Amino acid sequence: MLRNNPDYYVDAVNDYVRDMADQAGEWEREHVLAWCHHEGLPTNLLELTASPLRALYFACLSRTDHSEEPSQAGYVYGFARESTAHVTELILENVEMEASRYNLIEDMVDDPRWINLLSDHDTKGFHKPDLAQIPYLIYQAPYKYRGSDEPNGLYFYQLFQTVSSSCSPEFSFEIMQQQYTPALIVKVLNQTEIREQLHHRLGLYK
């Protein structure tokens, strides 16, 4: 849908905001994407945790169809702190209710704080930034709508852009999306046993 209509994402979020306006308090107005994410609307927020135990727990959950095959493995992906940048304030200032955009790439071209994040990037071609050169942006929501399974309220803010796609005439635009390369991948076996130990010994995520 983004390929045929680059404004589809903005329209979807804004339509939801208008439909739920009577339920929007101060927190919802300031944290639109976190609110939408919590309510199940697709956003560009990816859940993140600083807790190894929480990551381990979710790596041990059963599949969505509730099957638990003996050979099934889970994975924990670790990201280097040096590859991240905390930009909560920047996001809050530029991602607002009923915005004209919800993409920092499009909004932040002239903001020096944004440009400083790309100190190694050639800003002459900034209208088409190399997403591989941009640090992973971390957004921390305040303490609301957080259950025991969301102790940190951390998210990756995944960047994307739509650019003219002359090589693909069947689509109006090409979607470019920031990819995440973990610094560490841990394969987890015996998920059921580990999950039970986390439940009973540590009292996690009951």
Side-chain angles (χ1 to χ4, degrees):
M1 293 182 178
L2 274 173
R3 288 191 179 100
N4 294 324
N5 175 18
D7 294 326
Y8 171 80
Y9 184 61
V10 174
D11 293 341
V13 174
N14 284 341
D15 287 347
Y16 182 80
V17 167
R18 285 189 287 271
D19 290 344
M20 301 290 286
D22 59 336
Q23 299 185 33
E26 181 178 354
W27 187 93
E28 287 78 12
R29 287 192 291 271
E30 293 181 357
H31 301 272
V32 175
L33 292 185
W35 176 40
C36 291
H37 177 86
H38 178 268
E39 295 295 324
L41 190 73
T43 72
N44 59 338
L45 297 183
L46 305 177
E47 292 186 26
L48 171 70
T49 181
S51 167
L53 285 178
R54 180 179 184 239
L56 179 61
Y57 175 80
F58 280 97
C60 294
L61 290 180
S62 60
R63 295 179 177 179
T64 54
D65 61 2
H66 304 293
S67 64
E68 294 187 23
E69 299 177 6
S71 60
Q72 179 187 349
Y75 296 87
V76 174
Y77 300 96
F79 296 87
R81 190 180 300 273
E82 294 77 15
S83 302
T84 67
H86 281 268
V87 292
T88 302
E89 181 179 349
L90 183 150
I91 290 173
L92 291 180
E93 290 180 8
N94 291 277
V95 179
E96 302 172 347
M97 288 191 76
E98 299 207 46
S100 59
R101 302 182 183 96
Y102 289 98
N103 189 354
L104 292 183
I105 285 179
E106 298 173 349
D107 285 339
M108 302 296 293
V109 175
D110 298 322
D111 192 305
R113 297 169 299 172
W114 179 240
I115 295 174
N116 287 339
L117 292 174
L118 312 177
S119 57
D120 296 328
H121 183 71
D122 180 9
T123 56
K124 293 180 181 178
F126 188 71
H127 62 288
K128 286 187 178 181
D130 180 358
L131 297 185
Q133 300 297 319
I134 299 178
Y136 306 148
L137 306 185
I138 293 180
Y139 162 55
Q140 185 168 24
Y143 191 84
K144 182 171 183 177
Y145 292 148
R146 290 192 220 167
S148 59
D149 62 334
E150 296 182 77
N152 303 303
L154 296 177
Y155 301 93
F156 280 136
Y157 182 98
Q158 187 173 40
L159 294 167
F160 70 92
Q161 56 184 319
T162 54
V163 296
S164 297
S165 181
S166 57
C167 60
S168 301
E170 68 273 24
F171 297 124
S172 301
F173 288 84
E174 177 185 1
I175 300 171
M176 301 180 66
Q177 181 173 286
Q178 186 180 28
Q179 302 299 316
Y180 292 86
T181 303
L184 176 69
I185 301 176
V186 178
K187 185 175 182 179
V188 181
L189 301 175
N190 302 322
Q191 294 97 315
T192 301
E193 179 182 348
I194 294 173
R195 186 172 64 248
E196 289 176 353
Q197 289 188 20
L198 289 173
H199 269 303
H200 300 300
R201 298 189 181 184
L202 301 178
L204 292 176
Y205 313 113
K206 292 185 177 179

